[in-house]
Each structure stands twice: as C-alpha cells, then as structure tokens.
Amino acid sequence: MAEIVLAAKKREISNKGANKNSRKNGVIPCIFYLKGNDPIPFSVDEVTLKPLVFTSEAHIINLIFENEKPIGTIIKDVQFDPVTDRIVHVDFHGITLGQKLEIQIPVNLIGSSKGIKEGGILQQGLHKLDVECLPKDIPEQIDIDITELQIGDSIHIRDLKFENITLLNHEDSSVVSIVAPREEEDTEEEDDKDSAEPEVIGKDKTDEEDKAE
C-alpha cells in the first residue's frame, strides 16, 4: 500500500466562526486520534487534502508536524458541506504496527460482465467495504471480477475471500449484481394508455334529441 506524506500544522481548539474563516482561506480543520493519547487538533491546506479524500484508493498517511517525526494515520471520517460538497472537517486515526485496525477500502470492479453484453444493467450496492487487517496488509482497493456474471447473478459479501483481511460487512449484503432491463411491454402498455381515444361525452343526449325529432 502506498504511503503519503502530509504536512500539517497544530492548532488550538477554536469556535465555529474561526473554523469557518479558516475554510474561506483554504485551510481545513482536522483532528488526530490515537488510543491512549490526547487528541491533536491541526489544520491542513485544502489543496493538499483533496487528493486524499477524493480518490478510489486507500492510503497510509504520514502526518508531519513541524520538527516532529511522521505519524502513521488513516482517514477515518470526512464531513462535507451539504450545499457545496466542500470538505469541512477530517478525522485521522493513528495506526500501530502489529495492531489490527478497521478501515474502509474502495471496491474496484474488473472485467466485462457477460450479462451486461446481453443487455443487463449493473447495480453496485457497495462502493466501499469495511475491512479489518494489519496496517501492512491494507490494500489500496479491493478488486472484484465481474466477468462471469450473467443477468440475475449477484456477488455478496459471503462470496468474497481475501488473504490477511477480514470483511466486516454483513455476509448477505450485495456488492454488485446484474439485473434484467425493464420489459418493453411495460413501455408499450403505457404508450397505449396515453394514446387511447377519449370517451365520447353526450352521446346519450344526442340519441334522445333524435328520438324527440
């Protein structure tokens, strides 16, 4: 797994107003956690943080504070602005060599499904998997081959086995499936309903008038 160095600057715990001003200046407030240690609030330039958040790979991130040794971490949680989708806060958790940790790993689908070639539609239920493993065994992504999937086939958590990592998602959770396209008949029936001739109103009245004449 690739390791990335991230320069960080320690900060004092501040109020929402101060954090908001920091974000306006392109600086994102973050916090570092490690079991048995006090949390460390810090900040990182947004431009250097984006590639670590908006990525299809997992990384070990070595935080470097001024004049201190690198600290191995992973991104544990990211908060986004509900309107702009900009990053507003990130939680980093420290890792300890030889100690297992829980992390989310992106799913990477490989191959071209037979079912899709026949007109099926791919539905991906999980884009990331919850994994427990040692830091040295953290994969950048989890590759899942969908080549043999036919229409109606699915891959569930219970179908996946990997060395040195344990999947924590429920075994019945569907990761990816190939579903049949909607029947054309459904569309034709809707078209028939839309094009049906309107009912003639007033026919009985006309018949009565003819009889009166």
Side-chain angles (χ1 to χ4, degrees):
M1 175 183 212
E3 295 191 17
I4 294 177
V5 174
L6 181 64
K9 183 178 181 181
K10 292 183 180 180
R11 63 182 175 88
E12 297 294 331
I13 294 293
S14 51
N15 55 37
K16 291 183 178 180
N19 288 338
K20 187 176 181 180
N21 288 332
S22 294
R23 296 184 191 104
K24 286 182 178 179
N25 294 321
V27 179
I28 305 301
C30 306
I31 194 161
F32 166 80
Y33 294 102
L34 180 62
K35 187 176 181 180
N37 292 266
D38 292 332
I40 301 175
F42 65 96
S43 58
V44 175
D45 290 338
E46 183 178 12
V47 67
T48 61
L49 194 57
K50 278 185 175 181
L52 305 181
V53 173
F54 300 105
T55 179
S56 59
E57 298 180 347
H59 301 98
I60 291 178
I61 301 167
N62 290 311
L63 283 181
I64 297 183
F65 299 112
E66 188 176 2
N67 300 322
E68 294 187 16
K69 293 182 179 180
I71 303 174
T73 69
I74 58 171
I75 291 178
K76 195 68 174 180
D77 185 57
V78 182
Q79 297 176 27
F80 298 93
D81 185 286
V83 177
T84 65
D85 279 338
R86 288 185 62 184
I87 304 167
V88 297
H89 193 275
V90 182
D91 288 359
F92 288 78
H93 279 216
I95 60 176
T96 303
L97 295 178
Q99 182 176 322
K100 289 187 177 182
L101 68 150
E102 297 180 7
I103 183 174
Q104 286 192 326
I105 305 296
V107 172
N108 179 45
L109 302 180
I110 59 176
S112 182
S113 164
K114 294 179 179 179
I116 292 178
K117 293 178 181 178
E118 296 172 357
I121 299 172
L122 183 145
Q123 288 187 346
Q124 188 170 351
L126 295 173
H127 292 270
K128 290 185 177 181
L129 301 185
D130 296 322
V131 167
E132 182 183 60
C133 63
L134 293 171
K136 68 181 182 65
D137 296 323
I138 298 175
E140 292 183 357
Q141 57 191 20
I142 293 180
D143 294 330
I144 298 178
D145 190 351
I146 62 171
T147 304
E148 298 301 322
L149 290 187
Q150 304 276 7
I151 294 177
D153 289 344
S154 299
I155 294 177
H156 296 81
I157 293 294
R158 62 175 176 269
D159 302 317
L160 302 174
K161 302 295 180 184
F162 301 100
E163 290 186 9
N164 302 320
I165 65 174
T166 301
L167 300 181
L168 303 178
N169 304 82
H170 193 281
E171 64 175 10
D172 293 331
S173 298
S174 174
V175 181
V176 60
S177 58
I178 308 298
V179 300
R182 291 187 60 185
E183 296 293 336
E184 293 183 2
E185 294 179 0
D186 294 342
T187 304
E188 291 176 356
E189 289 178 3
E190 292 177 1
D191 291 341
D192 290 342
K193 290 179 182 179
D194 293 338
S195 61
E197 293 184 1
E199 181 182 354
V200 177
I201 300 175
K203 183 176 181 181
D204 294 341
K205 183 177 179 182
T206 303
D207 290 343
E208 291 176 358
E209 290 174 352
D210 291 341
K211 291 178 182 179
E213 290 177 357

